[in-house]
Amino acid sequence: MRSPVLPLTWHLARSSGRRGIQSQLLAAGAAAVGAFVLLVMIAACAGSGTRADRTAWRSPEPARDGTAVQALATTYVRHEPVTVVSLAQLPGRPPTPAPPGLAAFPRQGEMYVSPALAKLLDRLPARQLADRFPRVREYGTIGAAGLASPGELVAVVGRDPADPALSEAAADSASWFDEDQAARAVVAGFSSGKVSLFTAPDRTMALLGVVLLGMPVVVLAAAAGRLGAARREQRLAALRLAGATPRQILAMTALEAAAVGAAGALTGALAYLALLPVLARVPYGIGSWYTAELWVGLPWLAAVVAAVTVLITVSAVSMLRQVATSPLGVAQQADPRRTRWIRAAVFVVAMACVFRSTGGGELKPRQLLGLLVLFYGAFWLFGPWVVDRLGRIVGRFARRPATLLAARRLSDDPRGAWRTVSGLVLAGFAAGFFSVSQIGADAAQYRDQVAVITESGAQARHTAAEARAALARSGVTATVTVAGEDEFGNLLAGSPGLIVRISDGSGGTERLDTAVTALTPLARVHAPYTRDYATAYERASIDRIGEVSTATLALSFLVATASAGLTAAANVLDRRRVYGLLRLAGTPLRVLDRARARETVLPLVVLAGGTTAMGVYGSYQLNKAVGATIDATGALRLAACVVVGALAMVAAIGAGRPLLRRVTADPARTTD
C-alpha cells in the first residue's frame, strides 16, 4: 500500500496559507545565507592552501647533483614586499627545468616579472624601484602558475654564477632578520616544500575564521528549522490525535524541512558561484585571488548543501519529541520546557578543560581551534539553562506587567529565547577575541632607517663615503653612521655595516624607497633593508589576524543579526494565538511589545557579557603564545563592537514590531 506521508506533506504545505509560505521563504533565505557564508569561508581556506603551494618553488632546496644556483632575496617598495629570485645555470651541468610560471629557465641578463610588478615598474620613477634590478631591454612575464596572487610582486633574474648576489658570502653574511626572506642553495629543480613567509599563515588564520563563524551559521540554520514550530506542533499534534503514528509525524516534518532547506542551500550555492569573480577581488594577505583558487569543487559544494539541509531538518525534527510522546499536552500548550542542572555541570567541566589547557604553555593552532569548538559547544548547552534561571529570578522580583510577561516567556520556553539571542551572544566572543588581539612588534625606533650590511667594519667605513655621495645624487638628505659588530640596538642587529637615517623630516615612503634604490649598488653581500624587512616575520601573522578579525566580525554580526531577526519574527508568528488572547483580555499592544523586547534584552545582556569576557581571555592567551602584548586601542574596538551589536539587536527587535501589530489587529480571529 502506498504511504500517505508524501501526498499529505505536500497537501499541508500548499494549504498552510500566506503565513506558512512566509515562514518557508524565511527558512529558505536563512539556509541560503548559511550555505553562502560556509562556502566563502571554505573557499578562503582551500584557496589559501593553493596560493601557498604556488610560492614553494622560490625557496631553494639543496640538491646533491645540483645544476643551478638559486638565491632568494626580499626588498620592499611602498611597504610592500618584492620577492626576488636570482638564478644561474652552472656550466657543464644538465639543463635546469623552468621555474613555475616561466616558459624557460632564465638566461644571464634576462628578467621576468609578475604583471603587478611590471605595472609598478612603469608607474614609479626608476630611482625608486627599477634601478634596483639589472637593466634589460624588455621584461618577461611570470604566469599564474608561479604566483599566489594577481597583485603579488615577484621578479626572477638570470645571472652569472659568479654574481655576488649568488655567492656563498651572501648567505653566510645574512642579517638577523633574514628568516624566510633570504636563502641560497645549489638546486636541481623547484620542488621545495617550504612556502613563502607571506603566505604561510594564511590557511591557519582562515581556518580560525571558519571555526568562529561555524557556530553562528549553525544557529542560523537551527533558527530556520524552527520557523513556524509552534503552529507545526499544533497541526501535527492534531494529526497524531487523529491516528497518525510517530514515524509518520517525523517523516512529514523531515520531508518539509529538507525540501525547504535544500532549496535555500542550493540558492546560496548558486549565489556563491555567481559571485566568484567578485569574491576574487577581495584582498587577503598578499593581495586578491585568482578565481580558480576560490572554487571549492563539486564535492565540497554538495557537502555544504547537504550539511545545511541536514541541520535544518534535524532542528525541525528535534522539536517534535513532545508531539510524538504527548500530543494532548502540546495541543493544550501545557508543557513548559524546563532545563536540567546537567547543562550547568557540563559547562563547568568544559570551561575547566579550556582554562587548564590554555594555562599550561604554548598551544598549537589545532589545539586552539579545538578549544574554540569546545567552548562554543559548552556555551550552546549552557545558554538555555541560564535563560531558564534568569526568567525565574526576574519573574520573582518583577514589578511591571511587561517584565512579568517577559520573565514568564523566558522560563516557559528557555530554548526558544536562547535561540533568539544565541547568534549575537556567540558573536560577542568573536568581538572580545579579535578586538584586543591586534598584536604587533614595536619597531618605531627603526622608522626612516635603511641598513646596509658589509663584510667587515673596514669595508663599512669605506662604503660610508660612497653612500653619502649616492644619496646626495638621488636628492635624499640622510645621516650615514658606521655600526660595529658589537652593536645590537640598531637595525643591523650586530652585523657590520651602515645605518642610514633619512633626515628630511617628511618620513615619506618615496624618499625611503629612493634611498634603498640608491644604496643597492653598494650592498655587495646583502640588499639594503628597512623596518619593513625587520618586522616582516611578525607582521606576516599579525596582518592575517587583523584581516580575519575584520571579516569574521562583519560576517558573524551579519549572520547573528539575521538569526535574531528571523527568530524574533518566527516567535511572533508562533505566538499569535497567545498575543490574541492577551489582547482580548485587555493587554495594551505597547505592553506586549515591551515584553517581547525585554524577553530578548535580558538574556542578551547577561550572556553576551560572559562570552565577551571569554573572548578577551582567549585573545590574551593567543598574544601570550606569540610573546606579544594586547594592543592599547583594543578597548575602543571592543566598545565599537558592543555598540554595533546593540544596534543590530535593536534593529532585529524593531523589525518584528509591525508583524506583532498585524497579527493582533483582529484578536478574535487570531485566537480562533
Side-chain angles (χ1 to χ4, degrees):
M1 183 178 178
R2 184 180 179 183
S3 173
V5 171
L6 186 58
L8 185 56
T9 303
W10 174 245
H11 172 73
L12 292 176
R14 286 191 306 169
S15 60
S16 58
R18 184 181 62 182
R19 290 172 182 167
I21 295 176
Q22 290 175 347
S23 297
Q24 292 170 357
L25 290 177
L26 286 174
V33 172
F36 177 79
V37 172
L38 281 179
L39 285 170
V40 169
M41 296 307 297
I42 293 173
C45 285
S48 298
T50 301
R51 67 177 359 182
D53 292 339
R54 289 183 175 179
T55 64
W57 66 272
R58 305 167 194 171
S59 299
E61 184 74 20
R64 179 176 301 178
D65 300 323
T67 59
V69 182
Q70 178 182 355
L72 170 68
T74 307
T75 186
Y76 286 79
V77 59
R78 301 193 309 181
H79 304 296
E80 297 181 18
V82 181
T83 301
V84 182
V85 180
S86 298
L87 294 171
Q89 176 70 39
L90 291 175
R93 305 289 178 89
T96 306
L102 273 67
F105 189 90
R107 293 176 295 180
Q108 181 181 350
E110 292 183 339
M111 182 173 170
Y112 293 80
V113 297
S114 63
L117 182 56
K119 294 179 181 178
L120 199 60
L121 288 168
D122 291 338
R123 186 164 65 250
L124 294 180
R127 61 190 179 92
Q128 292 184 23
L129 179 59
D131 289 346
R132 303 183 196 182
F133 304 103
R135 293 186 179 274
V136 295
R137 292 183 178 179
E138 60 180 357
Y139 299 112
T141 302
I142 303 176
L147 301 174
S149 166
E152 192 177 18
L153 306 178
V154 182
V156 178
V157 183
R159 301 182 185 270
D160 184 89
D163 192 292
L166 294 172
S167 65
E168 295 184 4
D172 294 339
S173 303
S175 165
W176 174 267
F177 307 109
D178 280 347
E179 187 171 4
D180 295 335
Q181 295 189 90
R184 184 262 187 196
V186 177
V187 301
F190 303 94
S191 58
S192 173
K194 189 174 184 178
V195 301
S196 170
L197 165 68
F198 307 106
T199 59
D202 290 3
R203 189 170 187 176
T204 300
M205 293 299 105
L207 183 59
L208 177 63
V210 170
V211 173
L212 291 173
L213 276 174
M215 188 55 69
V217 171
V218 171
V219 171
L220 181 62
R226 288 173 168 85
L227 274 173
R231 187 177 61 183
R232 185 189 298 128
E233 283 185 345
Q234 293 292 320
R235 184 180 62 189
L236 296 178
L239 291 175
R240 181 79 174 90
L241 291 173
T245 64
R247 180 178 298 179
Q248 291 174 332
I249 295 297
L250 294 176
M252 291 170 60
T253 302
L255 283 173
E256 180 181 354
V260 173
L266 284 172
T267 302
L270 292 176
Y272 156 76
L273 290 173
L275 294 176
L276 268 179
V278 178
L279 295 172
R281 298 178 184 176
V282 178
Y284 176 59
I286 56 175
S288 57
W289 308 76
Y290 290 106
T291 304
E293 292 174 343
L294 294 179
W295 167 238
V296 298
L298 288 177
W300 271 112
L301 196 73
V304 168
V305 171
V308 172
T309 303
V310 169
L311 280 173
I312 291 179
T313 304
V314 171
S315 176
V317 171
S318 64
M319 296 291 295
L320 300 181
R321 182 180 61 181
Q322 296 298 326
V323 176
T325 59
S326 180
L328 187 58
V330 171
Q332 296 178 346
Q333 296 183 345
D335 189 12
R337 296 165 180 174
R338 302 296 185 185
T339 56
R340 300 180 180 180
W341 282 91
I342 187 64
R343 293 174 177 266
V346 172
F347 177 78
V348 171
V349 172
M351 290 300 101
C353 292
V354 171
F355 278 93
R356 183 176 180 181
S357 300
T358 55
E362 295 186 1
L363 296 175
K364 296 180 180 179
R366 291 184 179 181
Q367 292 174 318
L368 285 173
L369 294 177
L371 291 177
L372 285 174
V373 173
L374 178 62
F375 168 79
Y376 271 160
F379 227 97
W380 182 256
L381 288 174
F382 186 58
W385 184 86
V386 175
V387 173
D388 191 359
R389 269 60 190 177
L390 180 64
R392 298 183 189 184
I393 294 173
V394 173
R396 184 175 302 174
F397 298 99
R399 294 294 182 268
R400 296 181 179 276
T403 306
L404 184 61
L405 285 173
R408 180 58 186 272
R409 290 301 309 172
L410 291 177
S411 59
D412 281 353
D413 189 12
R415 297 178 184 86
W418 161 250
R419 287 192 296 271
T420 303
V421 301
S422 56
L424 282 172
V425 168
L426 296 177
F429 176 78
F433 182 85
F434 281 127
S435 60
V436 295
S437 65
Q438 302 298 311
I439 52 182
D442 185 11
Q445 69 273 23
Y446 301 147
R447 184 182 179 183
D448 299 333
Q449 293 185 18
V450 182
V452 181
I453 295 179
T454 58
E455 295 181 355
S456 63
Q459 185 184 5
R461 288 187 291 272
H462 175 71
T463 307
E466 298 179 356
R468 294 186 183 98
L471 291 170
R473 288 193 300 269
S474 300
V476 177
T477 304
T479 302
V480 180
T481 306
V482 177
E485 297 184 16
D486 56 345
E487 299 180 22
F488 291 91
N490 53 39
L491 197 56
L492 289 168
S495 299
L498 308 176
I499 295 294
V500 178
R501 294 179 174 87
I502 299 175
S503 55
D504 293 75
S506 60
T509 303
E510 295 180 0
R511 294 190 177 276
L512 191 65
D513 292 337
T514 302
V516 172
T517 305
L519 295 170
T520 296
L522 308 180
R524 298 177 177 84
V525 297
H526 194 286
Y529 60 90
T530 62
R531 178 178 62 171
D532 295 320
Y533 191 92
T535 59
Y537 190 81
E538 291 82 5
R539 296 304 317 174
S541 297
I542 295 166
D543 291 345
R544 300 309 175 274
I545 293 177
E547 292 167 353
V548 170
S549 68
T550 302
T552 302
L553 281 176
L555 290 175
S556 62
F557 277 115
L558 174 64
V559 173
T561 303
S563 176
L566 194 66
T567 307
N571 288 338
V572 173
L573 292 175
D574 290 343
R575 299 173 189 171
R576 67 187 185 281
R577 184 172 184 273
V578 176
Y579 287 138
L581 291 173
L582 289 172
R583 291 286 287 125
L584 287 176
T587 306
L589 182 62
R590 65 176 181 276
V591 174
L592 296 180
D593 191 43
R594 290 173 183 173
R596 186 177 62 88
R598 293 173 188 178
E599 178 186 344
T600 302
V601 172
L602 288 173
L604 181 65
V605 171
V606 173
L607 291 169
T611 54
T612 303
M614 290 296 297
V616 173
Y617 176 77
S619 175
Y620 168 76
Q621 290 298 325
L622 176 63
N623 294 343
K624 183 179 177 181
V626 298
T629 57
I630 293 179
D631 187 2
T633 60
L636 295 177
R637 279 192 296 269
L638 184 58
C641 291
V642 171
V643 172
V644 171
L647 293 177
M649 182 51 66
V650 169
I653 295 174
R657 188 175 294 114
L659 186 60
L660 175 65
R661 186 180 299 109
R662 191 181 309 120
V663 300
T664 58
D666 189 359
R669 182 178 178 182
T670 301
T671 58
D672 188 5

